Structures are given as structure tokens and as C-alpha cells.
Amino acid sequence: MPITIAVGTQWGDEGKGRVVDLLSDAADLVARFNGGDNAGHTVTVGQTTFKLHLVPSGIIHPQTVCLMGNGMVINPLSFLSEIEALTAAGVDASPARLFVSQAAHLITPAHRLLDQVQEAARGAGHLGTTGRGIGPAYVDKTARSGLRAGDILDQAGLPAKVQAHVEQVDCLIRQLYHREADENPRSVGIDVAGISAAFVEKATRMAPYIADAGAMARKSLAAGKRLLAEGAQGALLDLDQGTYPFVTSSCTTATGLFGGLGIGIQPVQRVVGITKAFQTRVGDGPFPTELAGEMAVRLRGTGANPWDEYGTTTGRPRRVGWLDGVLLRYVVEISGIRELAVTKLDILSGMSTLKICTTYTLKGRAAGDEFAMARLGEYQPVYEELPGWNEDVSSARRMQDLPAAARSYLRRLEEIAGVPVSLVSVGAEREQVIRVN
Ligand code: IMP
């Protein structure tokens, strides 16, 4: 039962879609186990760029069966438009090979609205959520009042359940957030009946995809099938282990697979930590190695290229900085990472000097290997400088094709993380990759 788990080691946007696409070559099943359409996984194959938010990136490989686990929160409207886009691009995204867990929770337009209203109400203390309703949907799940994908199959009961949920959100928005028509006509409560009926009508179209995804995964694993698990977001956005409260509402580490797919703890062959060659973050929260000014513009790009650092889901410019080795070591530990897939090495070409943060100081004192996540914003990074390289590395396919300085950068990264680099991406195209033996 070979299981590979591929997860982000930073604040998301590490290039997971691209790495999962490569690993999907050797998978029979590809599964998502957390998050929802807050994720944005980009895969470029020839002239076509796929931007996936919900469906596992493995769908692009015709031999795979794709599962969306119970740990996910799924907006049926986003799901259906993603299916439409995939189908239009010639990818089979039919219920014959794509299955949604009946225990996955649903995101409704009311959740999205509530997310946005709550974010506005936080004022200066906002979290920078994607506004996709992720937090409110997980709140309903843990409050045991959520709507699940399986509810869609109960045609008779669904309208009343949806209506009760929308009414509840409407009440919250009016009573708690005091959004009334005379204050802001665009944000009065909700057209409960209209929204509920439209949602039921659309959500029903998802019915053919709903299955016992956990049972399917367990049966396939028992039959020796190869499972690839695709994490969404990154470990530093984990609800418990991340930079709380500036996190998402799900388990984003490799450990989330078991509960989020329903497969029970069992041996895992590979745990691949996907790490951008530098650090980025979209949304608020501490970021010790953040850069401003010219260097930030250089790393971020202008937005002219699809690989520039602008959010796939929201289009927001990402905050950028040097690689944070302290956080990387921490994530290797909490996520059980055993190898690294380093992405976007090509972006560092042309920089005379590169920096990696290896330790922190706190109030002028060396912090050593210890740091308190809750005080992350108070630490100052201590950098090690490494020589850069000028060569274009985008055509490198073996380690020996890379300039010596690029190899040294990767070697140092391995030393800091304490695990080997098994894959390096040097461009957006599928074949622009170095597989390390
Ligand atoms: P939420 O998941 O929409 O509630 O957003 C919570 C935090 O996670 C915000 O800082 C978002 O910007 C961030 N976030 C959520 N999903 C992603 C992602 O896929 N990539 C990067 N950041 C994300």
C-alpha cells in the first residue's frame, strides 16, 4: 500500500500543483484531504495552464482516480465550474473517476458572505482570508450544524436544511454585525429564500460525484494501489501548528491525511515537503524574513507572467522574502517531511548574493533553535549569505547542469532542513524539472 504525501512547507503557494502533477505519474489514486477553493494549484502542460482549486491536480493524468476527502469543505458552485473548465480542456472529470466524500462539508454563498462580513468587522486586525467561506464552513462543521455533501442525496430534506442554515447566517449578519439596509444597501442581510433555492438547485448537480471516498481509498490501498495525497495550503497555515490566528481552518500538515481521507494510520512511503526556493505569504500575519523595496519587486515579479507572485485564487500580490530555515526545520518536524521538492529555483538566477535565515534573535539575544510560534513577529532573522549565479537554469535537467553556486544553495538548504532534496523545478513547464537520484 504505497502512500506518498505531498504537502506545502511554507504559507501555501509553494507550487504544489506542479509537483503533484509530476508525482501523479506513479499514482493510481490522487486525493485531497483538507481545505477548499481557497487553494489554487497551477499546472502547465504545453500550451494549457490549469488552475485547480478543489479537484486534485492528479486529474490531468488519465490513469488516476481522484478523491476529495471528508476533511475538505466544498463549494458546489466552484466545484461545478471547475468540472466545466476541465471538461472544456479535454480532461475527463466525470463521476466515473472523480469522487467526493459524502462526509465533506459544503460551503454555501451564505458562508462566503459571512466570511467577508466577519473579515470587514475585524478592521485593522483582519486575517486576510480568501473570502471563500472556509472559516465559517469549518465553524459549522465543528459546531455539528454543518451541511455535508451526503445531504445533497437527501432530496426531500435538503431544502429545509439549507434554508435553516441561510436563515441562521442572515440572523448573525443582521444581529451581530448590524448590517442593515439603510447603512449599506449592498450588505443587508440575505435573500434567504432566493439564495437557498438557487443553492439547492445547483448543489443537486453534484450528486453523481458523491460517494464513500474513505471506503474507496481503504479498499484500493488494501488491493495494493498507489495513493498520492495532495495537501492544500502550507504547514505554516495549519490551524494548530501554524501562525495562529493568521492561519486557515484545516490541518495542512501531512498528518491531516489520515483523518481527512478516513484511511487510518498506516505506513507512508514518501512524505514530500514542497518548498519554494524563497519565502512568500499572502494574507496577514508574521513573516520574519519579509523583504520590501526593490528586492521584493525582483522576487515577486510584475504580474506579467503566470508564475509571478500574485495569488491564483484572489490575484493579491504576495509578500516575499528570503528562505526561512528556522521555520523550514520546524515544519520538517511537525509534518514528518522526509524529502524536499524545491520549486522556482530559476527565479533566483541573476542575483549576486542570496540569503537564508538560519537562526533568530529576540530582543538582541540569540534565540538558538528554540522559538515560540505565538511570538514569531518579535524575532529578527539572522542570515547566512551565499553566492548567487547569473546563468539561466531553466534548461537544467540534472544536478550537474546547474551552476556550482545553485548546487551549493540546494546543499545548504538540505543541511538546514536535515532532509534531502529529491526534486527541483526550474520553470513552469512539466519537463522543467531535475529529479535527483
Ligand atoms: P482562508 O483559508 O480563506 O480562511 O484564509 C486564511 C489565511 O490563509 C489567509 O492568510 C489566506 O491568504 C491564506 N490562504 C488560504 N489558502 C491559501 C492558499 O492556497 N495559498 C496561500 N495562502 C492561502
Side-chain angles (χ1 to χ4, degrees):
M1 49 177 76
I3 299 179
T4 296
I5 311 179
V7 280
T9 63
Q10 296 162 323
W11 283 290
D13 307 317
E14 297 92 349
K16 288 180 292 292
R18 177 187 189 349
V19 173
V20 167
D21 173 58
L22 291 170
L23 295 172
S24 296
D25 249 353
D28 303 304
L29 288 178
V30 184
R32 279 262 317 255
F33 58 86
N34 76 298
D37 61 339
N38 48 349
H41 296 171
T42 307
V43 183
T44 304
V45 184
Q47 297 306 305
T48 314
T49 295
F50 298 91
K51 287 183 192 272
L52 298 160
H53 301 279
L54 282 167
V55 176
S57 307
I59 196 85
I60 297 161
H61 288 255
Q63 91 285 358
T64 59
V65 165
C66 290
L67 304 178
M68 295 168 61
N70 56 272
M72 293 187 70
V73 282
I74 297 166
N75 182 330
L77 282 62
S78 310
F79 175 79
L80 293 166
S81 55
E82 208 161 305
I83 299 297
E84 224 171 78
L86 282 165
T87 309
V91 175
D92 174 10
S94 70
R97 62 182 293 241
L98 176 62
F99 302 91
V100 175
S101 167
Q102 86 286 357
H105 278 248
L106 298 179
I107 296 183
T108 70
H111 283 131
R112 281 178 77 128
L113 181 61
L114 184 58
D115 190 1
Q116 290 156 21
V117 167
Q118 288 178 328
E119 187 66 351
R122 288 183 188 113
H126 54 76
L127 304 176
T129 75
T130 59
R132 297 293 191 271
I134 305 296
Y138 278 116
V139 165
D140 281 354
K141 172 178 174 169
T142 47
R144 294 158 294 178
S145 57
L147 293 161
R148 306 210 293 181
D151 291 329
I152 292 174
L153 303 178
D154 172 18
Q155 284 292 292
L158 183 65
K161 272 188 193 157
V162 171
Q163 176 119 355
H165 148 72
V166 180
E167 264 167 17
Q168 198 179 34
V169 174
D170 178 50
C171 178
L172 263 179
I173 287 178
R174 286 177 190 276
Q175 303 293 323
L176 191 60
Y177 297 101
H178 308 298
R179 296 299 198 102
E180 293 299 341
D182 53 354
E183 283 176 34
N184 180 354
R186 291 179 55 214
S187 61
V188 276
I190 304 178
D191 165 15
V192 173
I195 285 190
S196 304
F199 179 78
V200 167
E201 192 268 312
K202 292 230 173 80
T204 303
R205 297 189 214 157
M206 210 173 96
Y209 290 91
I210 298 165
D212 189 342
M216 292 177 71
R218 293 192 297 276
K219 224 178 260 171
S220 301
L221 286 167
K225 302 278 189 207
R226 300 160 301 173
L227 168 69
L228 171 62
E230 172 180 358
Q233 291 81 47
L236 299 171
L237 288 173
D238 183 81
L239 179 59
D240 291 297
Q241 319 299 341
T243 49
Y244 191 89
F246 302 99
V247 292
T248 190
S249 300
S250 67
C251 177
T252 61
T253 64
T255 59
L257 166 66
F258 305 102
L261 187 59
I263 58 170
I265 291 178
Q266 51 200 291
V268 173
Q269 201 171 41
R270 298 176 70 183
V271 186
V272 184
I274 302 153
T275 303
K276 204 178 280 184
F278 48 100
Q279 205 87 11
T280 63
R281 173 164 209 168
V282 60
D284 301 287
F287 184 168
T289 60
E290 184 168 13
L291 289 166
E294 245 174 65
M295 196 58 95
V297 174
R298 163 68 184 76
L299 281 176
R300 183 183 302 118
T302 57
N305 303 305
W307 55 84
D308 285 348
E309 297 294 347
Y310 289 78
T312 315
T313 301
T314 58
R316 292 179 288 180
R318 295 181 187 139
R319 299 156 67 193
V320 294
W322 296 117
L323 192 85
D324 191 326
V326 179
L327 290 178
L328 182 58
R329 265 197 307 269
Y330 166 74
V331 167
V332 165
E333 278 178 24
I334 59 159
S335 207
I337 303 292
R338 293 198 224 122
E339 57 187 278
L340 295 179
V342 178
T343 57
K344 289 198 154 183
L345 187 73
D346 51 306
I347 301 297
L348 298 184
S349 285
M351 299 179 90
S352 56
T353 305
L354 301 171
K355 292 184 185 180
I356 300 182
C357 166
T358 50
T359 55
Y360 294 145
T361 56
L362 183 64
K363 298 192 164 82
R365 289 208 176 151
D369 260 356
E370 304 289 317
F371 74 97
M373 185 56 98
R375 298 181 65 186
L376 189 64
E378 298 172 47
Y379 291 92
Q380 294 299 318
V382 177
Y383 290 112
E384 197 173 289
E385 293 202 355
L386 289 96
W389 60 89
N390 275 321
E391 295 88 332
D392 173 8
V393 296
S394 60
S395 54
R397 298 292 175 269
R398 302 166 308 164
M399 281 302 256
Q400 54 269 43
D401 298 336
L402 289 175
R407 291 202 301 272
S408 301
Y409 185 80
L410 293 171
R411 215 170 302 124
R412 189 66 190 116
L413 209 151
E414 287 181 321
E415 283 166 7
I416 290 167
V419 292
V421 170
S422 59
L423 202 137
V424 184
S425 89
V426 291
E429 287 289 338
R430 214 179 224 176
E431 77 278 6
Q432 288 184 295
V433 71
I434 298 170
R435 293 178 198 258
V436 185
N437 290 326

